[in-house]
Amino acid sequence: MGAAESMDPAPTRWTFQDFKAFYDSKFGRKKDAEKEDSPRQPTDSKVMANGSCSESTGNLNGISNRTADLAVFEQFESQEKSAGGHSGVVSNGNEGKPQRPLLPPFESAEMRTLAETLCRDIIRGSPDVKWESIKGLETAKRLLKEAVVMPIKYPKYFTGLLSPWKGILLFGPPGTGKTMLAKAVATECKTTFFNISASSIVSKWRGDSEKLVKVLFELARHHAPSTIFLDEIDAIISQRGEARSEHEASRRLKTELLIQMDGLTRTNELVFVLAATNLPWELDAAMLRRLEKRILVPLPEPEARRAMFEELLPSAPGEDMIPYDLLAGSTEGYSGSDIRLVCKEAAMQPLRRLMTQLEGKEEVIPEEGL
């Protein structure tokens, strides 16, 4: 074998790229000259009879670039045509503008993977809870509108000292409608709504919990205006250093959350942190300071209890009216959840009698069981 022949790769180890480079070096100039002289071939003659690729496959890099450009254009066109948006971003009403990409640029693939995990907690559909569907709580609804809705609708008025509150705390007894108020915010306000629980930002891997908190706020700033709802926040950020039994990972998570809410990374983007708890005295003092607006969600008033009974137990036409005033007076101290359970139990009484007849048993149901 000659020295020139020994430089060529062995035929058994050739790849397509090796063959292409060898072919172009041997016959490339002649092929280009033939292409200039020959007329343009129709598009249906790209594949030759012997199975070899046509001349259009000569420049693989150019084809890959054109394919990538076409994919980007098609993606942009599909985002522009989509009205509701399949990317999890709540539409802001600007139909002429393409929506933002789902993820902002991150410095590492690890942060992007964590962001994809948090994107599952974005409320894509509407919870279908309106302000009118919440009976009572007029003060809480008015304060929530002032804190979340009005700064988005009229941003020019909320500047300087009247800058919008970044942290809002809903506290009160269990079952009074704190989560329903958050659902109403997600329905009525045109913001990206992040429904975050302890399982969303707590990881078993060391250091991932702090990164999840950081990525969460970066996503919220990217999709601003946005709302981060932390339900049962006392399970996430209770008082630090209690009885010296706090774990180091828990302390780092709390510190990162406090820094993201009010630190050097704070920006002017409209990112609202909406928290709910039944135990406000369990929260850390630094977190209470950052939750600037604190809204009490009390037990329902008699008028609200009557409205709940009228909606849950409507009177049938042609029958006796249900004594709503008596029911509202006898349920003093009941929460909205308790009233719903009372109405459910009352609606089960005729169903129990029907089930007894269908089963063919003449069992007498005691009064206590009804």
Side-chain angles (χ1 to χ4, degrees):
M1 299 284 295
E5 295 178 356
S6 62
M7 295 175 62
D8 296 336
T12 56
R13 289 171 18 197
W14 276 17
T15 62
F16 179 77
Q17 288 80 6
D18 296 334
F19 175 77
K20 177 180 173 299
F22 179 77
Y23 185 86
D24 289 343
S25 64
K26 294 290 184 181
F27 309 104
R29 295 181 181 179
K30 183 179 179 181
K31 185 177 178 181
D32 293 338
E34 291 177 359
K35 284 200 300 184
E36 293 177 359
D37 297 334
S38 62
R40 188 177 184 85
Q41 298 294 330
T43 57
D44 55 352
S45 62
K46 291 182 179 179
V47 180
M48 308 301 289
N50 59 356
S52 62
C53 297
S54 66
E55 296 174 359
S56 62
T57 61
N59 189 359
L60 294 180
N61 295 331
I63 290 179
S64 62
N65 292 337
R66 289 195 299 271
T67 306
D69 294 341
L70 183 62
V72 171
F73 174 75
E74 289 176 351
Q75 182 180 5
F76 175 82
E77 192 176 28
S78 63
Q79 285 185 355
E80 190 176 23
K81 289 181 179 179
S82 61
H86 301 284
S87 60
V89 183
V90 179
S91 176
N92 55 3
N94 298 328
E95 300 296 338
K97 298 181 180 179
Q99 293 182 350
R100 302 172 187 170
L102 181 61
L103 298 177
F106 290 102
E107 63 270 12
S108 64
E110 180 187 5
M111 304 289 278
R112 184 177 181 87
T113 304
L114 296 177
E116 292 174 355
T117 304
L118 285 172
C119 284
R120 303 170 188 169
D121 295 319
I122 299 179
I123 299 297
R124 290 172 172 81
S126 174
D128 198 18
V129 177
K130 300 184 179 298
W131 298 114
E132 296 78 16
S133 60
I134 301 176
K135 305 302 178 183
L137 303 179
E138 299 300 329
T139 304
K141 290 189 286 187
R142 177 179 59 81
L143 293 176
L144 262 182
K145 290 178 183 178
E146 290 179 0
V148 181
V149 183
M150 298 305 172
I152 298 175
K153 293 181 67 176
Y154 312 104
K156 60 180 180 180
Y157 298 117
F158 291 87
T159 57
L161 184 61
L162 295 177
S163 59
W165 290 282
K166 296 301 181 72
I168 306 162
L169 177 64
L170 301 175
F171 67 97
T176 51
K178 297 182 291 296
T179 306
M180 284 194 68
L181 287 172
K183 291 180 180 179
V185 170
T187 303
E188 299 287 347
C189 305
K190 304 303 180 182
T191 63
T192 309
F193 196 84
F194 293 84
N195 186 22
I196 302 299
S197 61
S199 61
S200 304
I201 57 176
V202 175
S203 174
K204 66 179 181 178
W205 304 109
R206 180 181 177 87
D208 274 6
S209 298
E210 304 93 276
K211 293 178 182 177
L212 281 169
V213 172
K214 181 180 179 180
V215 168
L216 169 64
F217 278 85
E218 288 186 8
L219 278 175
R221 296 186 193 103
H222 178 69
H223 294 304
S226 56
T227 304
I228 301 175
F229 177 56
L230 299 172
D231 200 3
E232 304 297 340
I233 191 175
D234 54 278
I236 302 174
I237 185 161
S238 57
Q239 294 182 8
R240 290 175 288 178
E242 277 192 346
R244 301 180 180 269
S245 60
E246 186 180 21
H247 195 271
E248 178 195 358
S250 175
R251 192 178 185 88
R252 291 199 311 267
L253 170 65
K254 297 173 185 178
T255 304
E256 182 66 29
L257 184 57
L258 294 174
I259 291 174
Q260 291 295 328
M261 287 186 65
D262 187 12
L264 294 178
T265 58
R266 182 170 176 174
T267 61
N268 293 326
E269 301 288 346
L270 283 179
V271 177
F272 304 97
V273 177
L274 181 62
T277 181
N278 306 325
L279 308 170
W281 53 86
E282 293 287 341
L283 296 180
D284 190 74
M287 175 55 71
L288 283 175
R289 186 190 68 80
R290 286 162 173 79
L291 296 173
E292 306 163 330
K293 191 69 173 178
R294 300 155 198 172
I295 302 174
L296 173 63
V297 184
L299 293 171
E301 299 291 333
E303 295 80 9
R305 295 198 298 271
R306 177 185 171 88
M308 292 178 190
F309 280 116
E310 289 177 353
E311 182 178 356
L312 294 172
L313 296 176
S315 297
E319 296 184 2
D320 295 338
M321 288 291 296
I322 299 177
Y324 295 115
D325 293 332
L326 178 62
L327 292 175
S330 59
T331 53
E332 181 71 29
Y334 281 47
S335 65
S337 179
D338 296 334
I339 292 175
R340 183 180 178 276
L341 291 178
V342 168
C343 296
K344 185 176 182 179
E345 195 64 32
M348 278 295 297
Q349 293 189 20
L351 184 59
R352 287 194 184 104
R353 291 192 291 267
L354 178 61
M355 291 296 105
T356 303
Q357 294 179 2
L358 291 177
E359 293 293 331
K361 299 178 181 179
E362 298 297 334
E363 296 180 359
V364 179
I365 302 176
E367 191 70 22
E368 292 80 7
L370 295 176

